[in-house]
C-alpha cells in the first residue's frame, strides 16, 4: 500500500515537473517571438553601425525655438521643450554633421539632440538639457556612430539596440529554454529508470 502511494506521488511529481518544463519552453518561445518582431528589426534596420570619435563643434540651446514631438501638430497644449542643437566633426571622414542621442531621436525630431518624456516638468527638462550640453562641452570628444554607407549624413551618440544589448535580450529566453529542456530530459530519464526498475522487479519475481 505504501509502495503504491510512493509510486503515485512520484508520478504526480514527474507530471508537475514535466508541465513546468513545457511551460518554460513555451514562455521562452514567446519571448523569442517578441524579441524577433521588436528588437531584431530595429537592430537590423539601423544604418549607424560603425563607431568613430566625434569632436564637438558646438552645442546650442535654442530657448526661443522650441521643439514639439510632432512638428505637424497645431495643438497649443502639445508638450514643448528647449531644443539642444549639437554639431560634431566625424574623425573617420572629417565631415561636420548634426548629432542625435539615438536613432529614435532623429526619427521623432530632426532638429534636436535630445527628446524628453512628456511627463517631465519643464524646469526639470530645462535643467537636464543644460546638463547634457555642459557635459558635451566638458568632454569635447566622445564615441559616436555613423553610417559608413552614406545613407544617413547624421551621427548618433548611442544605438538603441547595440549588439551587446541584443545578445543580452536573447540571454534570458535562452536560459529559460535551456532550463525547461533540462527539466523535461530529467523527467524522461526518471520515467525510463522507473519503467526499467519495474521491469527488472517483475523478472526477478
Amino acid at each position: 500500500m505504501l509502495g503504491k502511494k510512493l509510486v503515485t506521488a512520484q508520478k504526480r511529481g514527474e507530471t508537475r515537473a514535466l508541465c513546468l518544463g513545457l511551460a518554460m519552453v513555451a514562455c521562452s518561445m514567446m519571448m523569442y517571438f517578441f524579441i524577433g518582431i521588436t528588437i531584431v528589426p530595429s537592430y537590423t534596420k539601423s544604418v549607424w553601425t560603425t563607431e568613430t570619435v566625434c569632436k564637438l563643434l558646438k552645442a546650442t540651446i535654442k530657448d526661443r525655438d522650441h521643439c514639439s514631438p510632432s512638428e505637424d501638430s497645431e495643438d497649443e497644449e502639445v508638450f514643448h521643450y528647449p531644443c539642444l542643437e549639437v554639431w560634431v566633426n566625424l574623425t573617420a571622414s572629417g565631415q561636420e554633421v548634426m548629432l542625435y542621442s539615438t536613432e529614435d531621436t532623429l526619427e521623432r525630431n530632426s532638429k534636436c539632440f535630445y527628446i524628453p518624456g512628456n511627463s517631465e516638468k519643464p524646469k526639470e527638462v530645462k535643467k537636464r538639457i543644460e546638463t547634457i550640453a555642459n557635459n558635451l562641452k566638458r568632454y569635447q570628444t566622445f564615441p559616436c556612430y555613423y553610417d559608413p554607407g552614406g545613407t544617413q549624413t547624421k551621427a548618433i551618440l548611442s544605438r538603441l539596440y547595440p549588439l551587446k544589448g541584443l545578445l543580452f535580450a536573447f540571454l534570458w529566453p535562452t536560459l529559460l529554454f535551456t532550463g525547461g529542456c533540462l527539466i523535461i530530459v530529467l523527467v524522461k530519464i526518471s520515467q525510463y529508470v522507473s519503467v526499467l526498475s519495474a521491469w527488472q522487479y517483475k523478472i526477478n519475481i
Side-chain angles (χ1 to χ4, degrees):
M1 189 68 179
L2 182 60
K4 289 183 178 180
K5 289 183 179 181
L6 290 174
V7 171
T8 302
Q10 182 181 0
K11 288 183 178 180
R12 286 179 181 175
E14 290 175 349
T15 302
R16 291 174 182 174
L18 185 61
C19 290
L20 175 63
L22 292 173
M24 291 173 66
V25 171
C27 287
S28 66
M29 290 294 103
M30 288 189 289
M31 292 174 69
Y32 278 130
F33 176 75
F34 178 77
I35 294 171
I37 63 174
T38 56
I39 299 179
V40 173
S42 299
Y43 173 79
T44 56
K45 289 179 182 178
S46 178
V47 296
W48 291 273
T49 56
T50 304
E51 184 175 355
T52 185
V53 175
C54 282
K55 184 177 181 180
L56 181 69
L57 297 177
K58 65 177 181 177
T60 308
I61 300 176
K62 296 185 176 181
D63 291 326
R64 295 182 180 179
D65 184 12
H66 290 67
C67 300
S68 65
S70 177
E71 295 180 11
D72 298 330
S73 176
E74 298 179 355
D75 187 0
E76 294 181 356
E77 296 182 356
V78 97
F79 177 69
H80 289 73
Y81 51 91
C83 182
L84 174 59
E85 185 180 273
V86 179
W87 283 85
V88 296
N89 181 279
L90 294 177
T91 57
S93 61
Q95 291 178 301
E96 296 182 3
V97 300
M98 284 190 70
L99 181 71
Y100 300 88
S101 179
T102 63
E103 304 97 321
D104 183 61
T105 307
L106 176 57
E107 291 178 2
R108 292 173 59 191
N109 194 331
S110 60
K111 294 181 180 180
C112 307
F113 168 83
Y114 172 75
I115 300 178
N118 292 359
S119 61
E120 297 185 59
K121 296 180 180 179
K123 290 184 178 180
E124 294 177 353
V125 170
K126 184 177 181 181
K127 185 177 180 180
R128 180 174 287 105
I129 290 176
E130 289 175 350
T131 301
I132 293 172
N134 291 333
N135 287 336
L136 291 173
K137 292 176 182 178
R138 181 189 305 170
Y139 293 105
Q140 290 293 314
T141 58
F142 38 81
C144 61
Y145 294 87
Y146 75 103
D147 174 19
T151 306
Q152 282 286 350
T153 56
K154 317 291 185 181
I156 61 173
L157 184 63
S158 60
R159 301 182 65 182
L160 277 175
Y161 302 108
L163 181 59
K164 290 182 179 179
L166 185 65
L167 294 176
F168 185 77
F170 277 108
L171 175 63
W172 296 111
T174 300
L175 292 175
L176 195 63
F177 178 79
T178 304
C181 290
L182 184 61
I183 291 174
I184 293 172
V185 170
L186 291 175
V187 169
K188 292 298 181 182
I189 292 175
S190 177
Q191 290 176 344
Y192 175 77
V193 171
S194 297
V195 172
L196 185 61
S197 298
W199 180 72
Q200 288 178 346
Y201 178 76
K202 289 180 181 180
I203 291 177
N204 293 332
I205 292 176

Short mmCIF file of all heavy atoms in Angstrom, two decimals, residues 156-176:
data_model
loop_
_atom_site.label_atom_id
_atom_site.label_comp_id
_atom_site.label_asym_id
_atom_site.label_seq_id
_atom_site.Cartn_x
_atom_site.Cartn_y
_atom_site.Cartn_z
N ILE A 156 24.84 59.55 -34.40
CA ILE A 156 24.11 59.33 -33.15
C ILE A 156 25.11 59.03 -32.04
O ILE A 156 26.18 58.46 -32.29
CB ILE A 156 23.08 58.20 -33.27
CG1 ILE A 156 23.76 56.87 -33.61
CG2 ILE A 156 22.01 58.54 -34.28
CD1 ILE A 156 22.82 55.67 -33.59
N LEU A 157 24.74 59.41 -30.82
CA LEU A 157 25.63 59.20 -29.69
C LEU A 157 25.65 57.73 -29.25
O LEU A 157 26.70 57.18 -28.93
CB LEU A 157 25.21 60.09 -28.52
CG LEU A 157 26.11 60.06 -27.29
CD1 LEU A 157 27.50 60.59 -27.63
CD2 LEU A 157 25.50 60.89 -26.16
N SER A 158 24.49 57.10 -29.24
CA SER A 158 24.41 55.69 -28.84
C SER A 158 23.28 55.00 -29.58
O SER A 158 22.27 55.64 -29.91
CB SER A 158 24.20 55.57 -27.32
OG SER A 158 23.00 56.22 -26.93
N ARG A 159 23.44 53.72 -29.84
CA ARG A 159 22.41 52.94 -30.52
C ARG A 159 21.38 52.45 -29.52
O ARG A 159 21.71 52.10 -28.39
CB ARG A 159 23.04 51.75 -31.25
CG ARG A 159 24.07 52.12 -32.29
CD ARG A 159 24.61 50.90 -33.00
NE ARG A 159 23.57 50.24 -33.79
CZ ARG A 159 23.78 49.11 -34.48
NH1 ARG A 159 24.96 48.53 -34.45
NH2 ARG A 159 22.79 48.58 -35.16
N LEU A 160 20.12 52.41 -29.96
CA LEU A 160 19.07 51.90 -29.09
C LEU A 160 19.31 50.44 -28.75
O LEU A 160 19.14 50.02 -27.61
CB LEU A 160 17.70 52.05 -29.78
CG LEU A 160 17.03 53.41 -29.68
CD1 LEU A 160 15.76 53.42 -30.51
CD2 LEU A 160 16.72 53.78 -28.24
N TYR A 161 19.70 49.67 -29.76
CA TYR A 161 19.92 48.24 -29.57
C TYR A 161 21.28 47.85 -30.15
O TYR A 161 21.36 47.40 -31.29
CB TYR A 161 18.81 47.42 -30.24
CG TYR A 161 17.43 47.77 -29.73
CD1 TYR A 161 16.53 48.47 -30.52
CD2 TYR A 161 17.02 47.40 -28.45
CE1 TYR A 161 15.27 48.80 -30.05
CE2 TYR A 161 15.77 47.71 -27.98
CZ TYR A 161 14.89 48.41 -28.78
OH TYR A 161 13.66 48.73 -28.31
N PRO A 162 22.35 48.02 -29.38
CA PRO A 162 23.67 47.58 -29.86
C PRO A 162 23.75 46.06 -29.82
O PRO A 162 22.86 45.38 -29.31
CB PRO A 162 24.63 48.21 -28.85
CG PRO A 162 23.81 48.37 -27.61
CD PRO A 162 22.41 48.66 -28.07
N LEU A 163 24.84 45.53 -30.34
CA LEU A 163 25.00 44.08 -30.39
C LEU A 163 24.97 43.46 -28.99
O LEU A 163 24.34 42.42 -28.77
CB LEU A 163 26.32 43.72 -31.09
CG LEU A 163 26.62 42.22 -31.25
CD1 LEU A 163 25.51 41.54 -32.04
CD2 LEU A 163 27.97 42.02 -31.92
N LYS A 164 25.62 44.11 -28.04
CA LYS A 164 25.63 43.60 -26.66
C LYS A 164 24.22 43.58 -26.08
O LYS A 164 23.83 42.64 -25.39
CB LYS A 164 26.55 44.45 -25.78
CG LYS A 164 28.03 44.29 -26.09
CD LYS A 164 28.86 45.12 -25.13
CE LYS A 164 30.35 44.96 -25.41
NZ LYS A 164 31.18 45.80 -24.51
N GLY A 165 23.45 44.62 -26.38
CA GLY A 165 22.08 44.68 -25.90
C GLY A 165 21.22 43.60 -26.52
O GLY A 165 20.35 43.02 -25.86
N LEU A 166 21.45 43.33 -27.81
CA LEU A 166 20.69 42.28 -28.49
C LEU A 166 21.01 40.91 -27.89
O LEU A 166 20.10 40.10 -27.66
CB LEU A 166 21.02 42.30 -29.98
CG LEU A 166 20.23 41.33 -30.87
CD1 LEU A 166 18.75 41.72 -30.89
CD2 LEU A 166 20.78 41.32 -32.29
N LEU A 167 22.30 40.66 -27.65
CA LEU A 167 22.69 39.38 -27.05
C LEU A 167 22.14 39.24 -25.64
O LEU A 167 21.72 38.15 -25.23
CB LEU A 167 24.22 39.28 -27.03
CG LEU A 167 24.91 39.20 -28.40
CD1 LEU A 167 26.42 39.20 -28.23
CD2 LEU A 167 24.46 37.97 -29.17
N PHE A 168 22.11 40.33 -24.90
CA PHE A 168 21.57 40.30 -23.54
C PHE A 168 20.07 40.02 -23.57
O PHE A 168 19.54 39.32 -22.70
CB PHE A 168 21.84 41.62 -22.84
CG PHE A 168 21.41 41.64 -21.40
CD1 PHE A 168 22.18 41.01 -20.43
CD2 PHE A 168 20.24 42.28 -21.01
CE1 PHE A 168 21.79 41.02 -19.09
CE2 PHE A 168 19.85 42.28 -19.69
CZ PHE A 168 20.62 41.66 -18.72
N ALA A 169 19.38 40.56 -24.59
CA ALA A 169 17.94 40.32 -24.72
C ALA A 169 17.66 38.84 -24.98
O ALA A 169 16.64 38.30 -24.52
CB ALA A 169 17.37 41.18 -25.85
N PHE A 170 18.54 38.19 -25.72
CA PHE A 170 18.36 36.76 -26.02
C PHE A 170 18.83 35.87 -24.87
O PHE A 170 18.54 34.67 -24.87
CB PHE A 170 19.13 36.38 -27.28
CG PHE A 170 18.39 36.67 -28.55
CD1 PHE A 170 18.77 37.71 -29.38
CD2 PHE A 170 17.30 35.89 -28.91
CE1 PHE A 170 18.08 37.99 -30.55
CE2 PHE A 170 16.60 36.16 -30.08
CZ PHE A 170 16.99 37.20 -30.90
N LEU A 171 19.56 36.45 -23.90
CA LEU A 171 20.11 35.64 -22.82
C LEU A 171 19.02 35.00 -21.96
O LEU A 171 19.07 33.78 -21.71
CB LEU A 171 21.02 36.51 -21.94
CG LEU A 171 21.58 35.84 -20.68
CD1 LEU A 171 22.48 34.67 -21.04
CD2 LEU A 171 22.34 36.86 -19.83
N TRP A 172 18.04 35.78 -21.52
CA TRP A 172 17.03 35.27 -20.60
C TRP A 172 16.13 34.20 -21.23
O TRP A 172 15.92 33.15 -20.61
CB TRP A 172 16.19 36.42 -20.05
CG TRP A 172 17.02 37.35 -19.22
CD1 TRP A 172 17.38 38.63 -19.51
CD2 TRP A 172 17.65 37.05 -17.97
NE1 TRP A 172 18.18 39.15 -18.53
CE2 TRP A 172 18.36 38.21 -17.56
CE3 TRP A 172 17.68 35.92 -17.14
CZ2 TRP A 172 19.09 38.26 -16.38
CZ3 TRP A 172 18.39 35.98 -15.95
CH2 TRP A 172 19.08 37.14 -15.59
N PRO A 173 15.60 34.41 -22.44
CA PRO A 173 14.82 33.31 -23.02
C PRO A 173 15.65 32.06 -23.30
O PRO A 173 15.15 30.95 -23.22
CB PRO A 173 14.27 33.91 -24.33
CG PRO A 173 15.11 35.09 -24.61
CD PRO A 173 15.55 35.61 -23.29
N THR A 174 16.95 32.25 -23.58
CA THR A 174 17.82 31.10 -23.81
C THR A 174 18.01 30.30 -22.52
O THR A 174 17.96 29.06 -22.53
CB THR A 174 19.19 31.56 -24.33
OG1 THR A 174 19.01 32.26 -25.57
CG2 THR A 174 20.11 30.37 -24.57
N LEU A 175 18.21 31.02 -21.40
CA LEU A 175 18.33 30.34 -20.11
C LEU A 175 17.03 29.64 -19.75
O LEU A 175 17.04 28.51 -19.23
CB LEU A 175 18.70 31.36 -19.02
CG LEU A 175 20.10 31.98 -19.10
CD1 LEU A 175 20.26 33.05 -18.03
CD2 LEU A 175 21.17 30.91 -18.97
N LEU A 176 15.90 30.30 -20.03
CA LEU A 176 14.60 29.71 -19.74
C LEU A 176 14.37 28.46 -20.58
O LEU A 176 13.89 27.43 -20.09
CB LEU A 176 13.50 30.74 -20.00
CG LEU A 176 12.11 30.45 -19.42
CD1 LEU A 176 12.17 30.42 -17.90
CD2 LEU A 176 11.11 31.52 -19.88
#
